[in-house]
Amino acid sequence: MPVIFHVEGVFPRFGNNCFIAPNATIVGDVIMGDDCSVWFNAVIRGDVNSIRIGNRVNIQDGAVIHCTFKRSTAIVGNNVSIGHNAIVHGCKIDDNVLVGMGAIIMDHSEVSSNSIIAAGAVVLEGTKVEPGSIYAGVPARKIKDISRDLIEGEINRIAMNYVRYSDWFREKV
């Protein structure tokens, strides 16, 4: 059974058709939209500030979403995939974004729509990721623009696949 706790009387809230893995942890001021999934060992800590998550968001195995006390909130748009072991900390991610495995996005950064943060990239505090671009490296820098095919073939495909994967697991829990 997932760990779902209130913090100072504020409980996480979930939309329709969400899958929460049995060993995921979600605490505090977290509001999640419809068709989301939180996978094995993922942690969403809305204990020190609020976390808002749109529709069709998948937070993959070992990923962490957190904020900074009284300084930053985390906002995740619609149709977002947060890859395995990624850290999303006190930042804003717009719609249609793929955050690669092991990527780190720091406080007050803004990731614009139709963007990819490459696996292992570190988006430093306050960085503004341009719409329709790929950022990679440490620190993360724009490496190229994204084609329409990449938006459909990667960003949208992965987000929709995770809605399907959720259905497989929801039946078992």
Side-chain angles (χ1 to χ4, degrees), residues 8-151:
E8 296 189 333
V10 179
F11 285 87
R13 293 186 285 167
F14 306 98
N16 297 312
N17 202 39
C18 291
F19 166 72
I20 312 298
N23 60 352
T25 300
I26 305 171
V27 300
D29 189 3
V30 175
I31 299 175
M32 184 178 297
D34 298 334
D35 297 313
C36 292
S37 56
V38 182
W39 292 87
F40 303 98
N41 292 317
V43 176
I44 305 172
R45 280 185 49 207
D47 54 351
V48 299
N49 219 323
S50 63
I51 297 173
R52 300 296 179 259
I53 298 169
N55 300 312
R56 287 177 322 285
V57 174
N58 61 86
I59 299 145
Q60 297 173 18
D61 312 71
V64 174
I65 302 178
H66 195 233
C67 310
T68 300
F69 183 61
K70 294 185 179 181
R71 247 189 101 221
S72 63
T73 61
I75 300 169
V76 178
N78 300 310
N79 211 52
V80 173
S81 296
I82 298 175
H84 311 291
N85 291 314
I87 299 172
V88 171
H89 202 279
C91 59
K92 181 180 182 206
I93 299 175
D94 286 339
D95 298 342
N96 306 316
V97 170
L98 171 61
V99 178
M101 296 179 283
I104 299 171
I105 305 174
M106 296 301 299
D107 289 22
H108 306 292
S109 294
E110 295 180 19
V111 180
S112 296
S113 293
N114 301 314
S115 296
I116 295 175
I117 305 301
V122 177
V123 178
L124 298 178
E125 183 171 358
T127 300
K128 309 285 189 243
V129 172
E130 295 176 35
S133 59
I134 298 176
Y135 275 58
V138 180
R141 302 262 189 255
K142 181 178 177 179
I143 59 169
K144 69 180 193 176
D145 291 323
I146 293 181
S147 67
R148 248 342 202 172
D149 290 342
L150 200 53
I151 292 169

Side-chain angles (χ1 to χ4, degrees), residues 39 58 156-168:
W39 292 87
N58 61 86
N156 293 338
R157 178 186 61 82
I158 292 169
M160 292 311 296
N161 280 350
Y162 268 87
V163 172
R164 181 179 335 153
Y165 305 157
S166 304
D167 291 339
W168 301 342

